[in-house]
Each structure stands twice: as structure tokens, then as C-alpha cells.
């Protein structure tokens, strides 16, 4: 398996966000930090060069290999702010109430926070964190499956 390009590092979140040229995007990112920090009860950390992540949870690959990954995160991209939440399809009702946005598989794309309803965004972020915590707890409670190989004749 190829090594992940996006890794947790010790780069300064404040320095990264402070370097955003667009003042509105910079302010919106500061608000998103507060929302995500409150939801995860974890400080922001840099993942790669452009993603601010919060919390950690294990990801299990098809190969069985496990890696720590951010629970949720965001990145101020050129076209929009990308929120990495996952499980958006499980929150269709909240998504319908959110306001102007676009979605990818697990990503929410917004141009600016003024385009969305903040109480709904906060509920969506909280729901994402709860879903990931629940799935992590379920994964821990399952007994590990040991494969044995027996030849029969």
C-alpha cells in the first residue's frame, strides 16, 4: 500500500490560518475552528500542508492495516472552504436545511459561512463527530477475527 501523503505534523495552525489573504475566508476559518473544537473537544492540528484536523480516530483499510486519521477537519481552498465531515448521506435532513453548499462523498463545500445557516452547520458537525465516535466504539467492541487456514482432504 502506498504511504499517505497527508500526515499529521507540528506546523502552526495559527500561522497557516493567519496567512490566508482573504479576510472573510480567514474570519470564517476562525469560526470553523471554534465549531469543530467544541464538537470534538480536541485542539486543531495541521494535517499535510493545508488541512486543519480535529481529534483522531482509527481507520481500517481493506488490507486490515489501521491508521490514525483526523475525526473531522477543513481546508480553505481556492474555490471554497472544504469541510471533511464524512457521512453526509446519513444527515440528509440537516443537509436540506443548511443553505448554499455543494457535496462530495464525505466533503461539504461552502463559499462563505454567510451562505449557510450556522445552527444547522453546528448540528451537522456535531452529528459527524457522534457518528464517528459511535463507529469507533463499535469497532473496538467487536472481537478480532482470526483467520485460520485448514487443509481438508
Amino acid at each position: 500500500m502506498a504511504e499517505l501523503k497527508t500526515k499529521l505534523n507540528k506546523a502552526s495552525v495559527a500561522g497557516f490560518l493567519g496567512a490566508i489573504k482573504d479576510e472573510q475566508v480567514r474570519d470564517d476559518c476562525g469560526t470553523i475552528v471554534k465549531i469543530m473544537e467544541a464538537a470534538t473537544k480536541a485542539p486543531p492540528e495541521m494535517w499535510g500542508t493545508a488541512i486543519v484536523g480535529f481529534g483522531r480516530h482509527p481507520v481500517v483499510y481493506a488490507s486490515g492495516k489501521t491508521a490514525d486519521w483526523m475525526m473531522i477537519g477543513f481546508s480553505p481552498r481556492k474555490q471554497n472552504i472544504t469541510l471533511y465531515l464524512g457521512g453526509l448521506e446519513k444527515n440528509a435532513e440537516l443537509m436540506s436545511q443548511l443553505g448554499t453548499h455543494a457535496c462530495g462523498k464525505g466533503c461539504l463545500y461552502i463559499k462563505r459561512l454567510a451562505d449557510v445557516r450556522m445552527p444547522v452547520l453546528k448540528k451537522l458537525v456535531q452529528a459527524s463527530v457522534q457518528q464517528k465516535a459511535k463507529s469507533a466504539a463499535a469497532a473496538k467492541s467487536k472481537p478480532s477475527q482470526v483467520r485460520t487456514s485448514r487443509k481438508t482432504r
Side-chain angles (χ1 to χ4, degrees), residues 42-69:
E45 300 175 293
M46 289 301 300
W47 288 77
T49 59
I51 299 175
V52 180
F54 298 81
R56 296 190 200 151
H57 74 104
V59 174
V60 181
Y61 297 97
S63 67
K65 185 177 178 182
T66 303
D68 272 343
W69 191 247

Side-chain angles (χ1 to χ4, degrees), residues 13-39 42-44 52 54 73-76 81-83 110-114 118 121-122 125:
V13 172
F16 170 69
L17 296 177
I20 298 171
K21 293 178 182 174
D22 184 309
E23 184 179 355
Q24 184 60 56
V25 172
R26 192 171 52 248
D27 290 347
D28 285 353
C29 288
T31 300
I32 293 168
V33 165
K34 291 175 187 170
I35 292 168
M36 291 187 167
E37 197 167 20
V52 180
F54 298 81
F74 75 94
S75 181
I81 300 172
T82 303
L83 283 75
I110 59 174
K111 186 72 175 165
R112 62 188 62 82
L113 288 181
M118 290 302 291
L121 180 62
K122 288 177 183 178
V125 169

Side-chain angles (χ1 to χ4, degrees), residues 78-91:
K78 185 176 182 177
Q79 294 296 323
N80 50 48
I81 300 172
T82 303
L83 283 75
Y84 301 101
L85 301 175
L88 297 175
E89 69 283 351
K90 296 176 184 175
N91 295 299

